[in-house]
Amino acid sequence: GINDVTASLKTGEIDGRFGYKAVSDILVSDVKEKDFDAVVYVGGGGAKVYFENADALRLANDFYNADKITSAICIAPVILANAGILKEKKATVFAPDGVEDLKKGGANYTGNPVETDGNIVTANHADAAELFGKTVLEKITAAPSAARQ
């Protein structure tokens, strides 16, 4: 009963790590918080293009301010830190690369594989992906929703 939508800087086929492909359904700039229950920022080298992207930062703030699930894995929690929503929040990130960015953003870096603080969920590495996914899923299914996206 949960639908997912992939957003990127372009629509259509997008390249992932190790030659994997995905399909972007919508531009990040067109995503509206009111249409979704959660946002998940995926890490990896490509996530760096969103560290200072105005639309990605706006989106993180929109979800956070609406008290919706705002999550990121691997290096992507840096996006949340740069959006200013990790101040005084427990969070984790891929180490050592993102640790200073999280601290600079005011986060209480824990180093745990997965960290939850309110509706913010962060994870530090692909090895934590299964637990991260289950944690986000539990939060989505526990939250009231009209859209379930």
Side-chain angles (χ1 to χ4, degrees), residues 117-141:
D117 194 324
N119 278 337
I120 295 175
V121 181
T122 53
N124 68 356
H125 193 272
D127 292 344
E130 185 175 351
L131 179 58
F132 173 73
K134 287 179 179 179
T135 303
V136 171
L137 180 61
E138 287 171 7
K139 286 198 149 297
I140 290 170
T141 55

Side-chain angles (χ1 to χ4, degrees), residues 34 43 62 86 88 95 103 116 134 145 147:
K34 66 179 180 58
D62 289 351
L86 293 184
E88 300 182 17
K103 290 179 178 178
T116 302
K134 287 179 179 179
S145 170

Side-chain angles (χ1 to χ4, degrees), residues 36-98:
F36 299 93
D37 296 318
V39 63
V40 178
Y41 291 94
V42 180
K48 293 177 182 178
V49 300
Y50 298 103
F51 284 3
E52 301 297 332
N53 179 280
D55 292 314
L57 300 177
R58 170 197 51 82
L59 203 55
N61 272 285
D62 289 351
F63 275 83
Y64 176 75
N65 291 328
D67 202 28
K68 292 186 175 182
I69 295 96
T70 310
S71 60
I73 187 170
C74 193
I75 196 67
V78 172
I79 300 165
L80 306 185
N82 289 349
I85 65 170
L86 293 184
K87 289 181 176 81
E88 300 182 17
K89 301 287 185 186
K90 293 183 296 181
T92 194
V93 67
F94 182 77
D97 298 3

Side-chain angles (χ1 to χ4, degrees), residues 96-111:
D97 298 3
V99 175
E100 288 308 312
D101 291 314
L102 253 62
K103 290 179 178 178
K104 188 170 116 183
N108 297 321
Y109 170 72
T110 67

